[in-house]
Amino acid sequence: MKFTLSNISKALLVTGLLASLVACSDEGEDQASATIAGVTFASQAEAGASTFATNCAACHGANLEGTTLGPILSGQAFVQRWGERTPAILLGNIQANMPPGGNDSISTDDYINLVAHILSSNGVDTVVNELTASTDFTIADNISQVVARRQRAAPPSPQGITIAGTVENFVPVTDAMLENPDPADWPMHRRSYNAHSYSPLDEINTENVGNLTLEWVWNMHEGDSEPAPLVYNGIMYLINPGNVIQALDAKTGDLIWENWTGPANRQDMRNIAIYNDKIIQATTDARLVALDARTGEQVWETVVADSSKGFSNSSGPIVADGKVILGLAGCANYIPEDCYISAHDANTGELEWRFNTIAKANEPGGDTWGELADVFRAGGETWITGSYDPELKLTYWGTAQQKPWVPVSRHLTIDDVGLFTNSTVAINVDTGKLDWFFQHVPAEALDLDEVFERVLVNRGDEKLVFSLGKYGILWKNDRVSGEFKGFKETVFQNAFTNIDPVTGAVTYREDIQNAKLNEWTSACPSSTGGKDWHSMTYHEPSGTIIAPLSQTCLENAAREVALVQGGGGLAASRKFFEMPGTDGNLGKIGAYNVDTMEEVWSYQQRASFHTGTMSTGGDLVFVGDLDRRFKAFDVKNGEILWETRLGTSVQGHPISFAVDGKQYIAVTAALGGTSPRSVPAVIATEIVYPQSGNAVYVFSLPD
C-alpha cells in the first residue's frame, strides 16, 4: 500500500536532518554575465537574509550557528569546509539538498541570494558585483583580514590537558584482557569484541532491581552526544562533545584528568578505545589521537583523512592484535578519495593497511557501478564501530549506502548495486584484505543503510554474525563464509515486495525501482530506522537478541545532482509520518530468538528509544528514551521491573561495571543525534525535555 498525505491522520512534517551538505550544481550551464541594474552582492545578501529566516533558520539557527537539526554555517567551521571552494559549488550543494522537505517554492534567484547571505555572514566583504550560478571565485580569498580578526574575537578553545591528575596503579591492557574481559570491566564499545553489549555481573537482578538508587552524577560538556563510556579497573573514561576526554573515578564520580584533543566544535563522538597504557580516540575531524591513560597527556597523533574534503568521524576505533581499526564518514563528495576502513599501529599510529569500501572500475566489484567514472562513485561510509573474531582473525563492519540516496540522482539504475555498499564486510586484520562480503540491500534507494554493529554469536558449531539496519530486518549470516542463514522483519516494512528465504535477495516495490526525479514515493520504515546507531544486545544465557527499534515512515523524492567533480551529495526531499498499525507508538523493544528468529516478546511506547540496549547476568535489559525515562526489563518476558526519570532525554549506551565487588549501572543523558532525534521531535511534539543537561548517571543497590 502506498501511503500519502491524504490517508495519514497526522500531517507529514518536514525536518532538517542532513548533517552536512555535499552536492554540486552544473558548472557547465550557460549563465548571463551581465549584472542586472541595481542588483549587487549586498542587495542579494539582504534578500537572502529574509529567505534564510523563512526557510533555513529553524534548523541552522538564526545566526547560522547550527542546531541539533542542522550543521553550523558560520565561523571557522564554515571557512574550513568551504573556504577553498566557489559560490557555484555552494549554490549547487544547497539547491540539491535543501530544504529536506522539498524546494518547489524556492527559485534559483532565492538560492543565489541565500548563498550571498551565507557568504556575507562569514566575512566575504571584497565582493561588489552580483553573484550568478557560475560565480567561481575562491571564497576564502574574499574574506578580509579585518573580518577574519572579528571572527577570531572569541577566546581560543582550550587545547590539551585542562585538568591534570594521575590514575594510580594503572595496569596496561593486553590483548588477552580484551579477548576475555574481567566481569568488573567494560573495556570497549559494547564491552567485548563480539559486540554483545552484555555484562555477566548479576548482583543486580530481577529480584532486587527495584531497589536501584542514584549513586552519583557527572555533568558533561554540552553539544551533540551519543556517548559510550569505558570502565577499566575502577576508572571511567568518558568522551564528551567537542573531542573532550575525561577520566573519572568510577566509584565516586571524581574527575581525575581532562584533555581537549580538538576541534572544540560541540560535535558528537560515540566511543573511544583502551589498549596497553593508551586511550585512543578518533576525532570528529578525522584524526587519530592516543593519550596516556594515566595522565591524559598526548602520546601520538596521526591524520586518517583530510577533513577539508568533508571526511570526519562520529564513532571511534576498535583495537585488535595491536592494530587500531576505524571507519570513516563524510564520503558523499565527488572527489578522487573514497571511504575506507584503516588499521594503524597502536604504539605509533602508523598506517598499516586500508580497505576501500567503494570498488573502482578496474577492481573486483567495479563493474557494479554502471558506467560511472571512479570520481562519481560515492558513499560506503563506515560510521559505526566494527567487531572482531580473534580466532578467525576477521573484523566485521557494516557499510553505508551509495550516495546520493536515490539511483536516479546518482545517474544509476536499481540494477547498479555499487559494491561494497550496504554490506557486511569481513576483513583480515593482518592484511586488510576482504575475506567475504554480503550485500544486504543492493542499490539502496531510500537512505536506509545497513551500517550498524555486527554481533558475533556462537550456537553449537555454528559461528554466526547478526546485523540489523534501518529497514528493521534482522539478518543472520555465517561469519566464516558469509552465507545467508535467515532473516526476521522486526517492524512493519513495505519497501520490499519479497525477501528470498534461501538467498536473502530483496525485491523493491516497482515504484521505488523506477522512481524519477522529484517524484514522491512512500516507504516504511523511515530513515530513522527500523534500527539506527543504538546498539542491540545479545543475552547469551537465553539465546536472545534484544533491539531498540523505531516506528516511523517517510515520503522521499529524488533531486537532480550533476556529475561535476567537487559535487555529489544526498539529494532527496523527505517527509515523515507515524508507522501505520502502531497506534502512534514510535518506540519499540523487540526480543528475538537467535535460533528460530522468532519474536519472543516486544514492548511499544509513544516515546522513541535513544540508547542502545544492555543486558546483564541478572537477566535484565536496560534502555533509555526521549521522554527522560531509563528502564529495566526482564530479559525473559519484557516486564518493566524498574524505571527512573533523568534530567533530560536518555541517550547513549548503557554499561555495567563493578568496583570493589559492587555492581553499578551507568547511562548518559544527552542531546543531538540526527534522524533518530529530529524525526520524533517533529512527530511527537508533546514530548518535551530540557535543551541542556548532558550527564552520566550511575546507579547501584543500597549498601
Side-chain angles (χ1 to χ4, degrees), residues 433-507:
K433 301 296 183 182
L434 180 68
D435 193 82
W436 61 260
F437 76 93
F438 182 86
Q439 192 172 39
H440 300 277
V441 183
E444 203 285 316
L446 296 165
D447 182 29
L448 301 179
D449 47 329
E450 299 285 339
V451 74
F452 309 107
E453 73 279 0
R454 268 49 187 170
V455 177
L456 313 184
V457 171
N458 295 335
R459 299 298 286 177
D461 294 332
E462 281 194 305
K463 296 179 182 296
L464 304 168
V465 53
F466 289 83
S467 61
L468 178 55
K470 288 188 180 181
Y471 283 93
I473 297 170
L474 180 64
W475 301 100
K476 181 179 181 179
N477 291 78
D478 185 290
R479 75 170 183 270
V480 179
S481 65
E483 178 188 0
F484 173 76
K485 306 291 286 188
F487 75 96
K488 174 66 177 179
E489 297 181 31
T490 65
V491 298
F492 171 69
Q493 74 83 17
N494 65 356
F496 305 131
T497 58
N498 183 62
I499 303 175
D500 190 301
V502 177
T503 66
V506 300
T507 303

Side-chain angles (χ1 to χ4, degrees), residues 572-586:
S573 303
R574 295 183 291 175
K575 304 173 184 178
F576 300 90
F577 55 96
E578 295 171 358
M579 183 174 284
T582 62
D583 294 326
N585 289 314
L586 306 186

Side-chain angles (χ1 to χ4, degrees), residues 257-292:
W257 58 255
E258 177 181 87
N259 188 312
W260 292 55
T261 61
N265 52 17
R266 295 172 60 91
Q267 289 181 6
D268 183 26
M269 174 57 60
R270 294 180 183 88
N271 65 286
I272 51 181
I274 186 169
Y275 184 72
N276 197 350
D277 57 354
K278 301 174 184 66
I279 298 296
I280 303 173
Q281 175 201 3
T283 65
T284 57
D285 62 348
R287 291 174 295 124
L288 198 59
V289 177
L291 307 179
D292 188 313

Side-chain angles (χ1 to χ4, degrees), residues 452-650:
F452 309 107
E453 73 279 0
R454 268 49 187 170
V455 177
L456 313 184
V457 171
N458 295 335
R459 299 298 286 177
D461 294 332
E462 281 194 305
K463 296 179 182 296
L464 304 168
V465 53
F466 289 83
S467 61
L468 178 55
K470 288 188 180 181
Y471 283 93
I473 297 170
L474 180 64
W475 301 100
K476 181 179 181 179
N477 291 78
D478 185 290
R479 75 170 183 270
V480 179
S481 65
E483 178 188 0
F484 173 76
K485 306 291 286 188
F487 75 96
K488 174 66 177 179
E489 297 181 31
T490 65
V491 298
F492 171 69
Q493 74 83 17
N494 65 356
F496 305 131
T497 58
N498 183 62
I499 303 175
D500 190 301
V502 177
T503 66
V506 300
T507 303
Y508 271 119
R509 281 191 348 239
E510 188 173 345
D511 61 325
I512 296 175
Q513 294 184 41
N514 300 320
K516 308 300 183 186
L517 292 174
N518 303 309
E519 179 179 280
W520 289 96
T521 56
S522 65
C524 299
S526 80
S527 52
T528 300
K531 197 187 80 66
D532 208 283
W533 58 262
H534 324 82
S535 53
M536 55 188 172
T537 181
Y538 174 57
H539 184 259
E540 186 171 11
S542 64
T544 308
I545 281 176
I546 306 99
L549 304 167
S550 180
Q551 302 184 132
T552 59
C553 303
L554 88 164
E555 294 226 359
N556 192 70
R559 297 185 185 182
E560 185 174 6
V561 177
L563 292 178
V564 178
Q565 186 163 339
L570 308 178
S573 303
R574 295 183 291 175
K575 304 173 184 178
F576 300 90
F577 55 96
E578 295 171 358
M579 183 174 284
T582 62
D583 294 326
N585 289 314
L586 306 186
K588 176 181 177 180
I589 301 295
Y592 303 91
N593 182 286
V594 296
D595 297 323
T596 66
M597 301 293 281
E598 293 304 311
E599 186 173 274
V600 179
W601 57 262
S602 68
Y603 169 83
Q604 298 185 50
Q605 63 176 41
R606 175 64 167 168
S608 50
F609 290 102
H610 287 266
T611 74
T613 46
M614 186 269 295
S615 61
T616 73
D619 290 337
L620 297 167
V621 175
F622 290 88
V623 69
D625 67 30
L626 184 69
D627 201 25
R628 303 188 290 124
R629 299 183 187 277
F630 184 45
K631 295 179 170 72
F633 292 82
D634 188 317
V635 76
K636 295 178 180 177
N637 57 29
E639 180 184 356
I640 297 175
L641 302 177
W642 171 85
E643 69 177 278
T644 190
R645 216 164 188 198
L646 306 187
T648 191
S649 46
V650 193

Side-chain angles (χ1 to χ4, degrees), residues 24-28 89 334 375-376 561-568:
C24 180
S25 67
D26 186 352
E27 290 181 341
I89 293 288
Y334 287 160
V375 72
F376 302 126
V561 177
L563 292 178
V564 178
Q565 186 163 339

Side-chain angles (χ1 to χ4, degrees), residues 125 351 655 694:
D125 57 356
L351 178 67
I655 66 171
N694 289 350

Side-chain angles (χ1 to χ4, degrees), residues 311-488:
F311 294 114
S312 63
N313 252 312
S314 59
S315 290
I318 188 172
V319 181
D321 283 359
K323 299 177 181 67
V324 183
I325 304 173
L326 74 160
L328 196 60
C331 309
N333 290 355
Y334 287 160
I335 58 177
E337 298 87 351
D338 289 318
C339 252
Y340 45 78
I341 300 164
S342 59
H344 301 255
D345 186 288
N347 293 316
T348 65
E350 182 178 353
L351 178 67
E352 297 206 356
W353 53 256
R354 285 178 178 167
F355 170 75
N356 291 325
T357 59
I358 300 296
K360 296 187 181 299
N362 61 348
E363 297 174 345
D367 58 352
T368 62
W369 287 83
E371 299 300 320
L372 282 184
D374 288 342
V375 72
F376 302 126
R377 304 178 180 201
E381 294 88 345
T382 44
W383 56 276
I384 293 293
T385 308
S387 48
Y388 173 53
D389 185 327
E391 181 181 345
L392 297 175
K393 300 294 183 183
L394 295 177
T395 183
Y396 301 85
W397 291 72
T399 63
Q401 73 280 62
Q402 296 161 288
K403 304 296 187 306
W405 283 330
V406 185
V408 66
S409 297
R410 50 187 185 251
H411 300 263
L412 296 173
T413 72
I414 203 72
D415 298 317
D416 299 315
V417 301
L419 294 176
F420 295 94
T421 62
N422 242 29
S423 301
T424 296
V425 293
I427 301 168
N428 185 291
V429 297
D430 293 328
T431 65
K433 301 296 183 182
L434 180 68
D435 193 82
W436 61 260
F437 76 93
F438 182 86
Q439 192 172 39
H440 300 277
V441 183
E444 203 285 316
L446 296 165
D447 182 29
L448 301 179
D449 47 329
E450 299 285 339
V451 74
F452 309 107
E453 73 279 0
R454 268 49 187 170
V455 177
L456 313 184
V457 171
N458 295 335
R459 299 298 286 177
D461 294 332
E462 281 194 305
K463 296 179 182 296
L464 304 168
V465 53
F466 289 83
S467 61
L468 178 55
K470 288 188 180 181
Y471 283 93
I473 297 170
L474 180 64
W475 301 100
K476 181 179 181 179
N477 291 78
D478 185 290
R479 75 170 183 270
V480 179
S481 65
E483 178 188 0
F484 173 76
K485 306 291 286 188
F487 75 96
K488 174 66 177 179

